């Protein structure tokens, strides 16, 4: 089984390449998931790069063209925003990330910063250019271990109680599926509400 089979208001972010992309998207939507684009961006360690990675040595035209191609693969899908896949180098480059953000603004899409770099320019660019934005609070599954993932989910709960929301990112790993499935079922007895990322984005950006 896979995370996209969990029937809950989760947000599934899909890489822009791969087999049966739209088929997987449809399965996620059938489970009540919101769809985002997981846009590959250049990391500091250039290993295992995706075939369509946005890189800092690209000029504006190259970045614009490649990013629009990524978006076009989801033309028939309702997509409200993107987050970065890797990108520790790219998101630190205000000029190059700015080209991506400009396109997001034109399309009224939000940017979820995965925060693969503490020095990401995502928030600065979003505030400066009035772009809808949110940052990741917790990575759930740096370790593919059931108990570790549950502890990270508890950390996300604690953050949500303190500041009103929390954004947690995970991957389609075996133990992540099991832990997330059990955690979702446990929410019935808690004063917490699981929502799509776009709902959080809308509320926090309306305040600013």
């Amino acid at each position: 089984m896979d995370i996209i089979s969990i029937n809950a208001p989760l947000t599934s972010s899909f890489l822009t390449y791969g087999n049966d992309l739209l088929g997987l998207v449809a399965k996620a939507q059938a489970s009540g998931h919101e769809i985002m684009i997981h846009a590959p961006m250049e990391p500091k360690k250039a290993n295992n790069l995706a075939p369509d990675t946005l890189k800092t040595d690209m000029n504006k035209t190259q970045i614009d063209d490649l990013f629009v191609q990524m978006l076009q693969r989801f033309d028939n899908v309702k997509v409200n925003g993107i987050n970065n896949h890797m990108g520790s180098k790219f998101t630190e480059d205000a000029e190059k990330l700015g080209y991506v953000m400009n396109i997001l603004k034109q399309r009224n899409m939000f940017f979820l910063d995965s925060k693969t770099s503490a020095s990401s320019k995502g928030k600065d660019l979003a505030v400066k250019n009035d772009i809808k934005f949110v940052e990741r609070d917790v990575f759930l599954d740096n370790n593919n271990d059931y108990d570790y993932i549950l502890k990270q989910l508890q950390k996300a709960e604690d953050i949500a109680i303190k500041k009103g929301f929390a954004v947690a990112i995970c991957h389609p790993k075996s133990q992540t599926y099991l832990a997330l499935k059990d955690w979702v079922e446990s929410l019935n007895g808690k004063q917490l509400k699981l929502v799509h990322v776009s709902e959080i984005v809308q509320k926090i950006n309306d305040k600013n």
Side-chain angles (χ1 to χ4, degrees):
M1 299 295 289
D2 194 88
I3 287 174
I4 60 174
S5 70
I6 298 176
N7 192 350
L10 299 170
T11 299
S12 289
S13 191
F14 288 89
L15 288 165
T16 55
Y17 59 93
N19 297 325
D20 194 27
L21 173 62
L22 296 182
L24 292 172
V25 165
K27 289 179 181 178
Q29 289 177 313
S31 296
H33 297 199
E34 176 178 47
I35 305 301
M36 284 177 48
I37 295 174
H38 199 38
M41 299 182 186
E42 184 181 8
K44 291 178 180 176
K45 293 183 179 179
N47 55 341
N48 298 321
L49 289 183
D52 53 359
T53 300
L54 296 165
K55 300 177 184 177
T56 55
D57 63 359
M58 293 176 172
N59 60 36
K60 182 179 186 302
T61 299
Q62 291 172 318
I63 290 173
D64 287 354
D65 288 350
L66 180 54
F67 185 52
V68 168
Q69 287 176 29
M70 293 181 186
L71 297 178
Q72 287 174 340
R73 292 177 191 145
F74 295 78
D75 267 353
N76 296 319
V77 179
K78 182 181 179 182
V79 177
N80 296 311
I82 75 162
N83 72 316
N84 52 296
H85 171 59
M86 299 193 288
S88 55
K89 184 175 182 179
F90 191 87
T91 58
E92 290 183 3
D93 190 317
E95 179 186 5
K96 302 306 170 72
L97 181 60
Y99 300 147
V100 171
M101 299 287 266
N102 287 338
I103 293 174
L104 292 178
K105 184 174 183 178
Q106 292 167 12
R107 297 181 178 228
N108 194 32
M109 296 173 69
F110 67 80
F111 179 58
L112 163 57
D113 195 334
S114 302
K115 291 294 287 184
T116 53
S117 168
S119 300
S120 171
K121 299 299 189 294
K123 185 174 183 178
D124 292 342
L125 288 168
V127 171
K128 180 180 178 180
N129 296 288
D130 194 27
I131 296 166
K132 292 178 181 178
F133 174 82
V134 68
E135 292 179 336
R136 179 271 307 166
D137 292 297
V138 181
F139 272 127
L140 296 180
D141 53 2
N142 286 329
N143 297 324
N144 188 26
D145 176 84
Y146 180 88
D147 290 333
Y148 171 84
I149 295 164
L150 283 182
K151 287 179 181 178
Q152 291 299 97
L153 283 163
Q154 181 60 59
K155 183 177 179 180
E157 287 186 31
D158 294 342
I159 293 171
I161 291 169
K162 288 179 180 178
K163 73 173 186 176
F165 71 91
V167 177
I169 290 179
C170 64
H171 303 85
K173 297 178 180 179
S174 59
Q175 297 304 301
T176 305
Y177 164 71
L178 295 174
L180 190 60
K181 182 175 181 292
D182 289 345
W183 178 79
V184 166
E185 293 174 356
S186 77
L187 287 177
N188 291 330
K190 300 176 181 178
Q191 292 186 332
L192 292 168
K193 182 181 179 183
L194 184 61
V195 298
H196 294 147
V197 172
S198 62
E199 185 172 333
I200 294 173
V201 170
Q202 192 64 45
K203 287 188 177 181
I204 65 174
N205 284 271
D206 282 350
K207 292 180 182 179
N208 296 333

